[in-house]
Amino acid sequence: MTKRPNFLYFIADQQRADWLGCYGHPVLKTPNIDAIAAQGMRFDNFHTASPVCMPNRASLLTGRYPSLHGLRYNGCRLPLSANTFVSQLAEAGYNTAAIGKSHLQPFTDMPPIGVNADEVADRPDAWRWDDGNYGQEEPGRYTADGRYDFKTPYYGYNHVDMVTSHGDKCGGHYQQWFRERADDWEALHDPANQLPHDYTCPQANRTPIPEDLYPTAYIRDRAIAHLDSCVGDDAPFFTFVSFPDPHHPFNPPGKYWDMYAPDDFDVSLPFDAHQNPTIPMKWLHANWQGAGGQTTPQTAMMLDEQHIKEAMALTAGMMAFVDDAVGDIMAALTRNGQLDNTVICYNSDHGDYMGDYNMLLKGALPFRSITRVPFIWSDPENRKAASSDALASTIDIAATVLDRVGLKPFNGNQGKSLKPVLEGAAQVRDDVLIEYNDGGRRLGFDKPARVRALVSPDWRYTIYKDQDWGELYDLANDPQETHNLWDSADHFAIRAQLAERMNQHLMAQMDESPLADRLA
């Protein structure tokens, strides 16, 4: 090829790996994303660095775990001084753009939950923040008419079309655009005006917002416009297209609302399928049976089978809209003659329990439903269908993109390039580390949960800070993680081996950057 490849990177929000046709979903149809997989590598054992939005998105950009990059849990912020692979691409001459959800800084102005008053008292942090602009995703920036003048570069992106939050009431540039185009925008946002429906699952809302004014449509159209603007540009592009769906609330617009029916779906892994539920699972079950409700709308919960099937049907509708948008964007890429030199990626920031053990949403329990996500890489150098069982992580993306371009990752990057796997190697790592840090007390924990999980081809080993219990699952013989072997005397030896390996990973959570420039 005459120049470095372009990149078109699609990412969905809160989509588990098996919620795509090409990953084997028996009901959901995703022909456009499947078409990308039919001309690329589908990674079947790809895991998040952290199964929650902000930390994992920061890990994607930096190739570093939350412990190092600093955005440890939702509500934190990624330091503007952090290096990203997008910054490296921009410095190498790439036209870099982020269209849709970014979530590298908080997009609400609400205080944290589940934290004691003395824990948030006015006292200095260990680090002094720079004087940079850390409020660009906050709602107050987008209340005025017109378009907020977003200050770039933004973690390496030189063009930003910001969409914040989820559902039909997203903020950011989308919100300003929506108000300009809908004279009755306040009525369209009023829950009292939702369209009639018979769903009773939490957060089901039949939005009156038409399809062409829904956030997915905005992101689709802005992405196409940006790709059109790149035609004739000698610079290669990296375009990050980030959909806030299929994240709850459950409100697919127009025809997507009833595209799927609850009876199309099954709850194949109910709570009773787990042989020895952990303490948080028991807490969730008791909370459900006692009608305890959620701490926040984002907090994991248990629901009955009908409510879960309703959530599945509405999630499928949202996912169908995303798939249609992907198809339209791909058509524009082809029409513009850009496809032949563009790497196409599809990914998600984390999954959703989506009915496993009657649970919904995400939380401190790192089941594969929330840690295993889709990752597809379609490269113009080899547009052939393939799949790989190689273990891979979100932290590997930065190193892989840079390797494909011919750039070295910055010092302190913790990822491994997946380029050898793309070229036929069996694997590049023996296991992956997954971090989870909560910002408040939930699910029965007496303090914000701190969780570390180690996943190998055959095992998942999980420790919880200050708890005398943990998890050990034999993935080879129990891939659905139904039997916790933590207390099994027959498995103490493997538990010890995995603990030693975990210690190696935890020792590696020391920042190797910057390098010393003096002997002493």
Side-chain angles (χ1 to χ4, degrees), residues 260-280:
Y260 293 89
D263 287 343
D264 294 338
F265 299 88
D266 294 317
V267 179
S268 59
L269 198 62
F271 177 75
D272 291 343
H274 202 288
Q275 297 182 40
N276 50 343
T278 59
I279 292 174

Side-chain angles (χ1 to χ4, degrees), residues 82-103:
N83 206 347
T84 71
F85 80 88
V86 182
S87 295
Q88 288 185 266
L89 292 179
E91 291 165 3
Y94 269 76
N95 176 345
T96 56
I99 299 168
K101 181 182 175 183
S102 172
H103 216 185

Side-chain angles (χ1 to χ4, degrees), residues 135-207:
Q136 293 213 81
E137 298 192 33
E138 292 179 355
R141 303 297 176 106
Y142 305 94
T143 56
D145 293 337
R147 180 179 169 86
Y148 169 62
D149 184 16
F150 205 96
K151 304 301 185 294
T152 58
Y154 192 65
Y155 301 104
Y157 292 113
N158 290 317
H159 172 82
V160 175
D161 258 305
M162 180 59 65
V163 179
T164 62
S165 195
H166 307 100
D168 62 344
K169 300 179 180 63
C170 286
H173 289 134
Y174 161 77
Q175 177 62 222
Q176 294 178 306
W177 171 90
F178 175 74
R179 293 198 307 263
E180 288 179 355
R181 282 155 181 77
D183 293 337
D184 57 345
W185 69 269
E186 290 177 303
L188 290 172
H189 276 174
D190 189 341
N193 293 328
Q194 68 172 295
L195 302 178
H197 66 87
D198 58 0
Y199 283 78
T200 58
C201 73
Q203 302 189 50
N205 171 38
R206 188 165 192 179
T207 179

Side-chain angles (χ1 to χ4, degrees), residues 22 28 74 90 113 154 174 186 199 330 338 353 357 377 499:
C22 57
L28 176 62
N74 278 356
I113 56 93
Y154 192 65
Y174 161 77
E186 290 177 303
Y199 283 78
M330 289 295 296
Q338 298 162 321
Y353 295 127
Y357 306 119
W377 178 288

Side-chain angles (χ1 to χ4, degrees), residues 12-243:
D13 198 323
Q14 199 157 301
Q15 181 196 4
R16 47 190 281 172
D18 55 4
W19 268 67
L20 285 173
C22 57
Y23 277 85
H25 198 283
V27 178
L28 176 62
K29 307 300 182 187
T30 51
N32 296 298
I33 298 168
D34 296 353
I36 298 172
Q39 293 189 320
M41 175 71 78
R42 186 192 72 226
F43 284 79
D44 292 337
N45 213 357
F46 190 96
H47 291 264
T48 63
S50 180
V52 69
C53 294
M54 296 182 73
N56 196 64
R57 287 169 178 267
S59 289
L60 191 161
L61 286 191
T62 63
R64 287 150 64 88
Y65 281 104
S67 294
L68 292 190
H69 62 57
L71 208 172
R72 302 172 305 282
Y73 47 80
N74 278 356
C76 295
R77 52 195 179 180
L78 182 64
L80 289 169
S81 56
N83 206 347
T84 71
F85 80 88
V86 182
S87 295
Q88 288 185 266
L89 292 179
E91 291 165 3
Y94 269 76
N95 176 345
T96 56
I99 299 168
K101 181 182 175 183
S102 172
H103 216 185
L104 299 171
Q105 297 178 3
F107 56 48
T108 78
D109 49 16
M110 297 181 292
I113 56 93
V115 180
N116 292 329
D118 61 350
E119 294 174 314
V120 294
D122 185 16
R123 60 191 185 199
D125 287 325
W127 293 93
R128 294 184 182 273
W129 285 93
D130 57 53
D131 294 328
N133 187 347
Y134 286 98
Q136 293 213 81
E137 298 192 33
E138 292 179 355
R141 303 297 176 106
Y142 305 94
T143 56
D145 293 337
R147 180 179 169 86
Y148 169 62
D149 184 16
F150 205 96
K151 304 301 185 294
T152 58
Y154 192 65
Y155 301 104
Y157 292 113
N158 290 317
H159 172 82
V160 175
D161 258 305
M162 180 59 65
V163 179
T164 62
S165 195
H166 307 100
D168 62 344
K169 300 179 180 63
C170 286
H173 289 134
Y174 161 77
Q175 177 62 222
Q176 294 178 306
W177 171 90
F178 175 74
R179 293 198 307 263
E180 288 179 355
R181 282 155 181 77
D183 293 337
D184 57 345
W185 69 269
E186 290 177 303
L188 290 172
H189 276 174
D190 189 341
N193 293 328
Q194 68 172 295
L195 302 178
H197 66 87
D198 58 0
Y199 283 78
T200 58
C201 73
Q203 302 189 50
N205 171 38
R206 188 165 192 179
T207 179
I209 293 176
E211 294 166 25
D212 62 349
L213 293 181
Y214 190 78
T216 297
Y218 172 83
I219 293 166
R220 174 199 65 202
D221 295 346
R222 301 302 291 183
I224 291 172
H226 182 73
L227 292 175
D228 289 347
S229 74
C230 293
V231 175
D233 190 346
D234 290 336
F237 61 77
F238 179 89
T239 303
F240 186 77
V241 180
S242 179
F243 298 102

Side-chain angles (χ1 to χ4, degrees), residues 286-335:
N287 189 63
W288 165 36
Q289 297 299 307
Q294 293 176 274
T295 305
T296 71
Q298 289 73 42
T299 301
M301 57 181 163
M302 285 189 183
L303 295 173
D304 62 41
E305 181 174 306
Q306 179 60 28
H307 282 156
I308 289 171
K309 290 166 66 174
E310 290 178 2
M312 288 177 170
L314 298 176
T315 296
M318 290 189 288
M319 196 60 234
F321 198 176
V322 169
D323 184 74
D324 284 347
V326 167
D328 291 338
I329 296 168
M330 289 295 296
L333 189 77
T334 303
R335 182 186 68 246

